[in-house]
Amino acid sequence: QVQLLESGGGLVQAGGSLRVSCSASGTIFSINSMGWHRQAPGKQRERVAFILTGGATNYVESVKGRFTISRDNAKNTVYLQMNSLQPEDTGIYYCYLAALGRIYWGQGTQVTVSS
C-alpha cells in the first residue's frame, strides 16, 4: 500500500545542481527513515544519504559538503539537493522508506552528469 514517487532527475553539466524529490503515499505507519541509494551500471549499489524522522542525517563520504538531504514529514516527502555534481555522481537514484522493519523502494530516477 506504500508507493514512492521520485522526480527531479535529469542531465546536468559537471558543477551543476539538481534536486530530486521522493513522495510517499498510502497508509504508512511509524516511518523510521527515508533516504537515497544510487547505482551505476556494473557498480555496487551505494547508500548516499538518509534522514531519520527526528531529523538526524548521514551521508556517504563522497557527497559530504555537496549534497543535502531534507524532508517534510507532513508531506512524507524527502529531498536530495545535489550541488557541485560530478560525473561520478551519475547513476540511478533510488528513494527508500523504512517503516516497521520493512524497506520500500521507489522506481529510481536517472541522474546523469556530463563532463
Side-chain angles (χ1 to χ4, degrees):
Q1 201 171 359
V2 177
Q3 185 177 16
L4 303 179
L5 297 177
E6 297 152 318
S7 62
L11 191 155
V12 297
Q13 290 184 320
S17 297
L18 206 61
R19 180 175 178 152
V20 290
S21 302
C22 175
S23 296
S25 61
T27 302
I28 306 170
F29 301 98
S30 300
I31 297 175
N32 184 59
S33 65
M34 296 184 72
W36 298 87
H37 287 207
R38 66 185 179 187
Q39 187 170 32
K43 297 182 180 179
Q44 289 275 344
R45 191 158 172 159
E46 176 184 50
R47 188 181 70 204
V48 178
F50 68 82
I51 183 166
L52 303 181
T53 301
T57 60
N58 188 269
Y59 302 89
V60 67
E61 187 68 26
S62 61
V63 309
K64 287 182 178 178
R66 300 188 297 117
F67 290 12
T68 302
I69 189 168
S70 61
R71 84 282 185 269
D72 184 337
N73 286 335
K75 298 179 180 179
N76 287 334
T77 299
V78 65
Y79 308 92
L80 187 67
Q81 178 68 45
M82 301 180 288
N83 298 326
S84 301
L85 282 162
Q86 304 167 14
E88 49 265 42
D89 295 315
T90 294
I92 302 174
Y93 283 67
Y94 297 93
C95 172
Y96 77 87
L97 181 156
L100 297 176
R102 295 199 63 186
I103 300 178
Y104 303 88
W105 294 97
Q107 78 284 359
T109 184
Q110 178 70 44
V111 172
T112 303
V113 185
S114 62
S115 300

